[in-house]
Amino acid sequence: MDQSAAPASAHRPVQLSGRLAVGGLLLAGLAWAVRGVWEIRLAMAGEPAAGPPDQGNGVHRPLNSLENSYHLVTSVGGALTLLCAALFLSWLLKLRENARALSGDTPKYLGIWVFLGWIVPVVNLWFPRGIVVDAFRSSAPGRRLPASVNVWWGLWLIGLLTGVGIVYRDSTDQIIARAYTEGWPLQLCDALVVAAACAGAFAVRAVTAAQVERLRAARPTGTRVAEVL
């Protein structure tokens, strides 16, 4: 069943949502770049004579000014990451709904997986990418999947499987201690997160553009759909 000529009111405002998702990804990438700069500063300053902030057995020494500022940087970065996640999921929901309206087919993945697909073990290795790919192919049948989608997902998986980047398992004080003693792995992880965010921005832009092109081609002659794009 082809519903490519579905009324404009059936389509969700994916273009604006895509722009917001791109902005969120770039802000998150910037936040992690700043985090990397602070970790370089910690490495250059060297560990204080008093030792790491977390001294074990529940004992924490007072933080110096650089360590306090790193806590602030990570807190801001965490807030921007949450904002990025909200904007990305909003875009993905709209993309999925528009793809269903355009193709008339039932999406391959249930709507709940738009959220749970990121956190349920094992399926989180491919469900989120699969949702994006399914929506793209329903929106632009016959077109080649943008390479940025695979680059973004590959970089995301590196972070997921190695426990680096935005999925750090260590506390902030533990990361400070690592910055003093093993700075380069942290900086490499930060670079991967920044690269994943940038690739994600390109992926969102490319997938959104393909769907918007199809929506504009499918609109009835003489109608205006700018408001829903």
Side-chain angles (χ1 to χ4, degrees), residues 13 33 40 55 62 68 70 75 78 128 153 158 182 216:
I40 291 173
Q55 303 200 337
N68 270 320
Y70 183 75
S75 296
W153 191 245
I158 292 173
E182 47 178 300
R216 286 174 174 166

Coordinates of all heavy atoms in Angstrom, one line a residue, residues 13 33 40 55 62 68 70 75 78 128 153 158 182 216:
P13 N 7.0 17.4 11.5 CA 8.0 18.4 11.2 C 9.4 17.9 11.3 O 10.1 18.3 12.3 CB 7.7 19.6 12.1 CG 7.1 18.9 13.3 CD 6.3 17.7 12.8
A33 N 34.9 17.8 23.7 CA 36.1 18.4 23.3 C 36.7 19.3 24.5 O 37.9 19.2 24.8 CB 36.0 19.3 22.1
I40 N 43.7 17.2 29.5 CA 45.1 17.5 29.2 C 45.7 18.4 30.2 O 46.8 18.3 30.6 CB 45.1 18.2 27.8 CG1 44.8 17.1 26.7 CG2 46.5 18.7 27.5 CD1 44.6 17.7 25.3
Q55 N 40.6 8.6 47.7 CA 41.8 8.0 48.4 C 41.4 6.6 48.9 O 42.2 6.0 49.6 CB 42.4 8.9 49.4 CG 42.8 10.2 48.9 CD 43.8 11.0 49.7 OE1 43.9 10.7 50.9 NE2 44.5 11.9 49.1
P62 N 40.1 17.3 49.9 CA 39.5 18.5 49.2 C 40.1 18.7 47.8 O 41.3 18.4 47.5 CB 40.0 19.6 50.1 CG 40.3 19.0 51.5 CD 40.8 17.6 51.1
N68 N 38.0 21.1 40.7 CA 36.7 21.6 40.8 C 36.1 22.0 39.5 O 35.0 21.8 39.2 CB 36.7 22.8 41.8 CG 36.4 22.3 43.2 OD1 35.6 21.4 43.5 ND2 37.1 22.9 44.2
Y70 N 37.0 20.9 36.6 CA 36.7 19.7 35.8 C 35.3 19.1 36.2 O 34.6 18.6 35.3 CB 37.8 18.6 36.0 CG 37.6 17.4 35.2 CD1 37.8 17.4 33.8 CD2 37.1 16.2 35.7 CE1 37.7 16.3 33.0 CE2 36.9 15.1 34.9 CZ 37.2 15.1 33.6 OH 37.0 14.0 32.8
S75 N 29.8 18.2 34.5 CA 28.3 18.4 34.8 C 27.6 19.1 33.6 O 26.5 18.6 33.2 CB 28.2 19.2 36.1 OG 28.7 18.5 37.2
G78 N 27.4 16.6 30.8 CA 26.3 15.6 31.1 C 24.9 16.2 30.7 O 24.1 15.5 30.1
P128 N 19.1 0.5 17.3 CA 19.0 2.0 17.0 C 19.4 2.2 15.5 O 18.8 3.0 14.8 CB 20.0 2.6 18.0 CG 20.0 1.7 19.2 CD 19.9 0.3 18.5
W153 N 27.5 4.9 13.7 CA 27.2 3.7 14.5 C 28.5 3.0 14.9 O 28.6 2.4 16.0 CB 26.2 2.8 13.8 CG 25.7 1.8 14.7 CD1 25.9 0.4 14.6 CD2 24.9 2.0 15.9 NE1 25.3 -0.2 15.7 CE2 24.7 0.7 16.4 CE3 24.4 3.1 16.5 CZ2 23.9 0.6 17.6 CZ3 23.7 3.0 17.7 CH2 23.4 1.7 18.2
I158 N 32.1 1.4 19.4 CA 33.4 1.4 20.1 C 33.2 1.9 21.5 O 33.8 1.3 22.5 CB 34.4 2.2 19.4 CG1 34.8 1.6 18.0 CG2 35.7 2.4 20.2 CD1 35.6 2.5 17.1
E182 N 47.1 8.2 33.4 CA 47.0 7.6 32.1 C 46.1 8.5 31.2 O 45.0 8.1 30.8 CB 46.4 6.2 32.2 CG 45.2 6.1 33.1 CD 44.6 4.7 33.1 OE1 44.2 4.2 32.1 OE2 44.5 4.1 34.3
R216 N 8.5 16.4 -0.3 CA 8.2 17.5 -1.2 C 7.7 17.0 -2.6 O 6.8 17.5 -3.2 CB 9.4 18.4 -1.4 CG 9.6 19.3 -0.1 CD 10.9 20.1 -0.2 NE 11.0 21.0 0.9 CZ 12.1 21.6 1.3 NH1 13.2 21.4 0.6 NH2 12.1 22.5 2.3

